[in-house]
Amino acid sequence: LAAALGLELIAAEAHRSRDTPAGHPEADDLVMQAMAAGGSAFTPERMKSALHLCEQALQLSPDHAQALAWRARILTFLAAGWPSGDLEPQIAQAESDITRSLAQDSLVASSYDTLARVRQFQYRLDAAMTALTQALELNPNDAQAWHFQGRLLIYSGMPERALAATHRALEISPRDPLRWRFFHHLGFAYLLMG
């Protein structure tokens, strides 16, 4: 079974790469630097540094799917953690970026997670949940997506379901450096349940 699946994956990747334009190595490198900066420590300085790296990558390759997706993700992180002024243009930019990214590659689970974050800011919780479902279908082992689903379920008034999603995140990543957020939302769900 594994060998057959491996052959199918190789064929699918060969088909995808045949239909994908050649990459831009410098832009790819900048995106990897942005991922490291934005994914390792949640500080406004790190997020702004990651945003700047994504923008540099997009100057080199304006339709770079990963750079668009990461810029959208960083914009949502900045809006959530360090809101400044009018968030509407920031969320509109994130929506445009993630939509363009998904149009190029609809098989990236983290892009659907980012789309869910954009939809949350737009108060479209049903659309956010749909995007997260797609993310988890593509990658059922994404602890952060399970955690985010738990958070959305809390916001939607479904604390029992939120507990299950958040416990799944802890099962997948019991030593996650951000697991304090998992416990925070578990506590919130229990509080809502009485």
Side-chain angles (χ1 to χ4, degrees), residues 96-172:
S96 173
D97 287 351
I98 200 60
T99 302
R100 287 174 56 204
S101 177
L102 282 166
Q104 293 178 54
D105 190 349
S106 63
L107 297 177
V108 179
S110 63
S111 294
Y112 287 101
D113 182 292
T114 300
L115 177 61
R117 294 169 192 279
V118 169
R119 297 295 180 241
Q120 177 196 2
F121 271 103
Q122 296 168 331
Y123 302 105
R124 296 171 57 191
L125 295 184
D126 288 340
M129 195 61 73
T130 298
L132 264 179
T133 299
Q134 290 173 297
L136 289 167
E137 285 174 2
L138 290 167
N139 182 4
N141 293 318
D142 185 343
Q144 295 302 319
W146 281 105
H147 163 255
F148 188 44
Q149 185 181 63
R151 191 168 82 195
L152 287 179
L153 288 164
I154 288 170
Y155 297 159
S156 299
M158 297 181 251
E160 294 86 3
R161 288 183 55 202
L163 286 175
T166 309
H167 277 294
R168 181 69 183 128
L170 280 166
E171 289 170 9
I172 292 168

Side-chain angles (χ1 to χ4, degrees), residues 5-76:
L5 182 59
L7 291 175
E8 285 183 37
L9 288 173
I10 291 168
E13 182 59 23
H15 178 71
R16 188 187 68 80
S17 65
R18 184 175 55 243
D19 295 337
T20 303
H24 195 292
E26 291 86 6
D28 293 343
D29 182 59
L30 288 164
V31 171
M32 285 190 269
Q33 290 179 50
M35 293 168 78
S40 61
F42 287 94
T43 67
E45 297 78 24
R46 297 290 296 230
M47 293 296 132
K48 288 176 184 173
S49 172
L51 183 62
H52 179 70
L53 290 163
C54 287
E55 289 170 350
Q56 286 180 303
L58 289 166
Q59 286 175 354
L60 295 172
S61 181
D63 291 321
H64 195 287
Q66 271 194 306
L68 289 165
W70 266 90
R71 181 168 69 178
R73 192 171 190 91
I74 296 300
L75 287 169
T76 65

